[in-house]
Amino acid sequence: MIISRRLALRSSAATAALAAAGLNVAFAADKVYRIGITLPLTGADAEAAHLILNGALLAIKLANASGELKGITLEPMVLNNATATAGQYDPAQAATNARKLVGDKKVLANVGPEMSGSGKAMAPILSMGMLATITPSSTAPDITSAQFAGEFDPGGKPIYFRTVTTDAYQGPNMANFYAETLKTPSVYVLDDSGAYGVGLADAFEAQAKKKGIKVLGRDRLDPKAADYSAVLTKIKATGTSSLYYGGTMQAAVKLVKQSYQIVPKIIKGGGDGILSPEMMTAAGFPAAEGWYATNASPHVVDDPKLASWVALYSKTYNLQPDDYAITSYDAALVAIAGIKAVQASGKPLTSANVRDAIQTVHVNGLQGPISFDKYGDLETRVVAVFQFKQNKSAPLAYLNKQSVYIGVAPQS
């Protein structure tokens, strides 16, 4: 089953206007089914999460407006994976949300989660309920690894699909960039104690050593701590030429600010957990200036071919999209394609049948062709590199205006 990005963009002006207004085009007799969207919509990563949320919502709106799912209206079921107690994503809340999704027989698929820590909590529950989730940004490779199938896939069929690549490529490819492009001789590695941050930092560190970069130390940050000056002072004493951080924005905001004071001259970088509006709006310039970050997908948001989609997104949500808004839109397209395939087959419209369809679906997404290997991982493995550079003429929250695309990270 192939669904084209052009199909989503060829709506009439009236249909696009309805979609932009957030209205569903449906007949009274249409059956209502749901697509879940599970993201940390409050806390340290909320701005990035809302960019992702909007991408999925836009795909659902356009599908309803076009009437392509004959006899069906799709309804988003938006659930917050963050809690005030955690201050960011909370695996316990993510598990609760997974149970809500599985318990609602009208939910045919889910878009999310954003974070791998949430993914590890959700995957076993979704697996037993045979409900597919398509993550636009969760990159921990363990979740889709055959080695850990007993833990994360107890139902026996892959349910965790991705429209991004994994940290098995994101971490090592950034280490290649440090070695081959930045030519840094040494690095100090930090993580934020979370599933995503630890795994990403591990993958980076292993490849850095293979590339001949001297790893001068490794430390783990408490994301709730306020002061990282002790570890940064230790890092300064090593004389390292660079720093790499694996983690999300809760720790990164403080790390970015304090490292600017203590080790302002060294090269600094991280993964997609810091490629976020919060780097500008919370950490801020000049502290964020010069930091490198990766994206586990191609950089396409500035592609002239997507200008009409970017304009529609911006008009609808009064925000500039980022690349993960695009991978989220594509994730929703995957779910929609799975639903259409089940409709065409004549089989009952159940989450299990939609899962089976998603396994073999081919989607021409905004980022390009999307298909999955037998584990649910995206078959293309592009890692993009950016550098934060202040643009005083643009709003701070506009990620694509406050960062510069460097290129594709060297592949191993």
Short mmCIF file of all heavy atoms in Angstrom, two decimals, residues 1-3 158 161 334 337-338 341-342 347 353-363 370-374 376 379:
data_model
loop_
_atom_site.label_atom_id
_atom_site.label_comp_id
_atom_site.label_asym_id
_atom_site.label_seq_id
_atom_site.Cartn_x
_atom_site.Cartn_y
_atom_site.Cartn_z
N MET A 1 0.86 -1.20 0.00
CA MET A 1 0.00 0.00 0.00
C MET A 1 0.89 1.23 0.00
O MET A 1 1.76 1.37 0.86
CB MET A 1 -0.89 -0.01 1.25
CG MET A 1 -1.80 1.20 1.39
SD MET A 1 -3.07 1.18 0.11
CE MET A 1 -3.89 2.72 0.45
N ILE A 2 0.69 2.14 -0.96
CA ILE A 2 1.51 3.35 -1.04
C ILE A 2 0.61 4.56 -0.90
O ILE A 2 -0.40 4.68 -1.58
CB ILE A 2 2.28 3.42 -2.37
CG1 ILE A 2 3.24 2.22 -2.48
CG2 ILE A 2 3.03 4.72 -2.49
CD1 ILE A 2 4.00 2.18 -3.78
N ILE A 3 0.97 5.44 0.01
CA ILE A 3 0.26 6.72 0.15
C ILE A 3 1.26 7.83 -0.12
O ILE A 3 2.38 7.79 0.35
CB ILE A 3 -0.37 6.88 1.54
CG1 ILE A 3 -1.20 8.17 1.60
CG2 ILE A 3 0.63 6.83 2.65
CD1 ILE A 3 -2.06 8.27 2.85
N PRO A 158 6.35 -7.03 16.02
CA PRO A 158 6.79 -5.65 16.23
C PRO A 158 5.62 -4.67 16.25
O PRO A 158 4.73 -4.74 15.38
CB PRO A 158 7.70 -5.38 15.02
CG PRO A 158 8.18 -6.73 14.61
CD PRO A 158 7.02 -7.66 14.87
N PHE A 161 7.35 1.26 15.62
CA PHE A 161 7.87 1.68 14.32
C PHE A 161 8.44 3.09 14.44
O PHE A 161 8.04 3.86 15.31
CB PHE A 161 6.76 1.62 13.27
CG PHE A 161 6.19 0.24 13.08
CD1 PHE A 161 5.09 -0.19 13.83
CD2 PHE A 161 6.75 -0.65 12.18
CE1 PHE A 161 4.56 -1.47 13.67
CE2 PHE A 161 6.24 -1.93 12.02
CZ PHE A 161 5.14 -2.34 12.76
N VAL A 334 1.80 7.18 8.06
CA VAL A 334 1.98 5.73 8.15
C VAL A 334 0.75 5.08 8.78
O VAL A 334 0.23 4.07 8.29
CB VAL A 334 3.25 5.39 8.95
CG1 VAL A 334 3.28 3.91 9.32
CG2 VAL A 334 4.50 5.78 8.17
N ALA A 337 -2.06 5.22 6.30
CA ALA A 337 -1.85 4.23 5.23
C ALA A 337 -2.20 2.83 5.71
O ALA A 337 -2.77 2.02 4.96
CB ALA A 337 -0.40 4.28 4.75
N GLY A 338 -1.86 2.51 6.97
CA GLY A 338 -2.22 1.21 7.53
C GLY A 338 -3.73 1.02 7.60
O GLY A 338 -4.26 -0.06 7.28
N ALA A 341 -5.08 0.44 4.12
CA ALA A 341 -4.78 -0.91 3.64
C ALA A 341 -5.75 -1.93 4.22
O ALA A 341 -6.19 -2.85 3.51
CB ALA A 341 -3.34 -1.27 4.00
N VAL A 342 -6.11 -1.77 5.48
CA VAL A 342 -7.09 -2.69 6.08
C VAL A 342 -8.45 -2.50 5.43
O VAL A 342 -9.15 -3.48 5.14
CB VAL A 342 -7.15 -2.48 7.61
CG1 VAL A 342 -8.26 -3.34 8.22
CG2 VAL A 342 -5.81 -2.82 8.26
N LYS A 347 -10.77 -6.65 5.67
CA LYS A 347 -10.65 -7.20 7.02
C LYS A 347 -11.28 -6.25 8.03
O LYS A 347 -11.44 -5.05 7.76
CB LYS A 347 -9.18 -7.43 7.37
CG LYS A 347 -8.49 -8.49 6.53
CD LYS A 347 -7.02 -8.61 6.93
CE LYS A 347 -6.30 -9.65 6.09
NZ LYS A 347 -4.86 -9.73 6.43
N ASN A 353 -5.00 -5.60 13.01
CA ASN A 353 -4.93 -5.62 11.55
C ASN A 353 -4.20 -4.40 11.01
O ASN A 353 -3.48 -4.50 10.01
CB ASN A 353 -6.33 -5.72 10.96
CG ASN A 353 -6.92 -7.11 11.10
OD1 ASN A 353 -6.20 -8.10 11.25
ND2 ASN A 353 -8.25 -7.21 11.07
N VAL A 354 -4.38 -3.25 11.66
CA VAL A 354 -3.64 -2.05 11.25
C VAL A 354 -2.15 -2.25 11.50
O VAL A 354 -1.31 -1.87 10.68
CB VAL A 354 -4.18 -0.81 11.98
CG1 VAL A 354 -3.28 0.41 11.73
CG2 VAL A 354 -5.62 -0.50 11.54
N ARG A 355 -1.81 -2.89 12.60
CA ARG A 355 -0.39 -3.18 12.87
C ARG A 355 0.21 -4.03 11.77
O ARG A 355 1.32 -3.76 11.28
CB ARG A 355 -0.24 -3.91 14.21
CG ARG A 355 1.22 -4.07 14.67
CD ARG A 355 1.57 -5.50 15.03
NE ARG A 355 1.62 -6.38 13.89
CZ ARG A 355 2.69 -6.58 13.11
NH1 ARG A 355 3.83 -5.94 13.35
NH2 ARG A 355 2.62 -7.40 12.08
N ASP A 356 -0.51 -5.06 11.37
CA ASP A 356 -0.01 -5.94 10.31
C ASP A 356 0.20 -5.17 9.02
O ASP A 356 1.19 -5.40 8.30
CB ASP A 356 -0.99 -7.09 10.09
CG ASP A 356 -1.03 -8.08 11.24
OD1 ASP A 356 -0.13 -8.03 12.11
OD2 ASP A 356 -1.97 -8.90 11.28
N ALA A 357 -0.71 -4.25 8.72
CA ALA A 357 -0.59 -3.46 7.49
C ALA A 357 0.59 -2.51 7.57
O ALA A 357 1.33 -2.32 6.58
CB ALA A 357 -1.89 -2.69 7.24
N ILE A 358 0.81 -1.89 8.72
CA ILE A 358 1.91 -0.95 8.88
C ILE A 358 3.26 -1.64 8.67
O ILE A 358 4.19 -1.05 8.12
CB ILE A 358 1.85 -0.28 10.27
CG1 ILE A 358 0.70 0.73 10.31
CG2 ILE A 358 3.17 0.40 10.64
CD1 ILE A 358 0.42 1.31 11.69
N GLN A 359 3.36 -2.89 9.06
CA GLN A 359 4.62 -3.63 8.93
C GLN A 359 5.13 -3.62 7.49
O GLN A 359 6.34 -3.57 7.25
CB GLN A 359 4.43 -5.06 9.41
CG GLN A 359 5.68 -5.92 9.33
CD GLN A 359 6.72 -5.59 10.38
OE1 GLN A 359 6.52 -5.87 11.55
NE2 GLN A 359 7.83 -4.98 9.97
N THR A 360 4.22 -3.67 6.53
CA THR A 360 4.63 -3.79 5.12
C THR A 360 4.29 -2.56 4.29
O THR A 360 4.52 -2.56 3.07
CB THR A 360 3.96 -5.02 4.48
OG1 THR A 360 2.53 -4.89 4.58
CG2 THR A 360 4.39 -6.30 5.17
N VAL A 361 3.78 -1.52 4.92
CA VAL A 361 3.35 -0.35 4.16
C VAL A 361 4.56 0.41 3.61
O VAL A 361 5.65 0.39 4.19
CB VAL A 361 2.50 0.57 5.07
CG1 VAL A 361 3.36 1.40 6.01
CG2 VAL A 361 1.61 1.48 4.23
N HIS A 362 4.38 1.05 2.48
CA HIS A 362 5.37 1.95 1.90
C HIS A 362 4.70 3.32 1.74
O HIS A 362 3.66 3.43 1.09
CB HIS A 362 5.88 1.46 0.56
CG HIS A 362 6.76 0.25 0.66
ND1 HIS A 362 6.26 -1.00 0.95
CD2 HIS A 362 8.10 0.10 0.54
CE1 HIS A 362 7.27 -1.87 0.98
NE2 HIS A 362 8.39 -1.22 0.74
N VAL A 363 5.31 4.33 2.32
CA VAL A 363 4.73 5.67 2.32
C VAL A 363 5.71 6.64 1.69
O VAL A 363 6.90 6.65 2.04
CB VAL A 363 4.40 6.13 3.76
CG1 VAL A 363 3.96 7.58 3.78
CG2 VAL A 363 3.33 5.24 4.37
N ILE A 370 9.33 5.89 3.00
CA ILE A 370 9.32 5.32 4.35
C ILE A 370 8.88 3.87 4.26
O ILE A 370 7.80 3.56 3.75
CB ILE A 370 8.36 6.09 5.28
CG1 ILE A 370 8.84 7.54 5.45
CG2 ILE A 370 8.25 5.40 6.64
CD1 ILE A 370 7.83 8.42 6.15
N SER A 371 9.75 2.99 4.77
CA SER A 371 9.40 1.59 4.93
C SER A 371 10.20 1.06 6.10
O SER A 371 11.18 1.68 6.54
CB SER A 371 9.69 0.79 3.66
OG SER A 371 11.06 0.88 3.31
N PHE A 372 9.80 -0.08 6.61
CA PHE A 372 10.37 -0.60 7.85
C PHE A 372 11.00 -1.96 7.65
O PHE A 372 10.53 -2.77 6.85
CB PHE A 372 9.29 -0.68 8.93
CG PHE A 372 8.54 0.61 9.12
CD1 PHE A 372 7.24 0.74 8.66
CD2 PHE A 372 9.14 1.70 9.73
CE1 PHE A 372 6.54 1.93 8.81
CE2 PHE A 372 8.46 2.89 9.88
CZ PHE A 372 7.16 3.02 9.43
N ASP A 373 12.06 -2.22 8.43
CA ASP A 373 12.62 -3.55 8.42
C ASP A 373 11.77 -4.47 9.30
O ASP A 373 10.74 -4.05 9.85
CB ASP A 373 14.10 -3.54 8.83
CG ASP A 373 14.33 -3.12 10.29
OD1 ASP A 373 13.37 -3.15 11.10
OD2 ASP A 373 15.47 -2.77 10.62
N LYS A 374 12.18 -5.70 9.47
CA LYS A 374 11.34 -6.67 10.18
C LYS A 374 11.20 -6.35 11.67
O LYS A 374 10.35 -6.92 12.35
CB LYS A 374 11.88 -8.08 10.00
CG LYS A 374 13.26 -8.32 10.57
CD LYS A 374 13.71 -9.76 10.29
CE LYS A 374 15.10 -10.03 10.84
NZ LYS A 374 15.53 -11.43 10.57
N GLY A 376 10.80 -3.07 12.73
CA GLY A 376 10.06 -1.81 12.85
C GLY A 376 10.92 -0.58 12.67
O GLY A 376 10.42 0.54 12.73
N GLU A 379 14.17 2.06 7.31
CA GLU A 379 15.21 1.46 6.48
C GLU A 379 16.24 2.47 5.99
O GLU A 379 17.33 2.07 5.57
CB GLU A 379 14.58 0.70 5.32
CG GLU A 379 13.83 -0.54 5.80
CD GLU A 379 13.42 -1.47 4.68
OE1 GLU A 379 12.81 -0.99 3.71
OE2 GLU A 379 13.70 -2.68 4.79
#
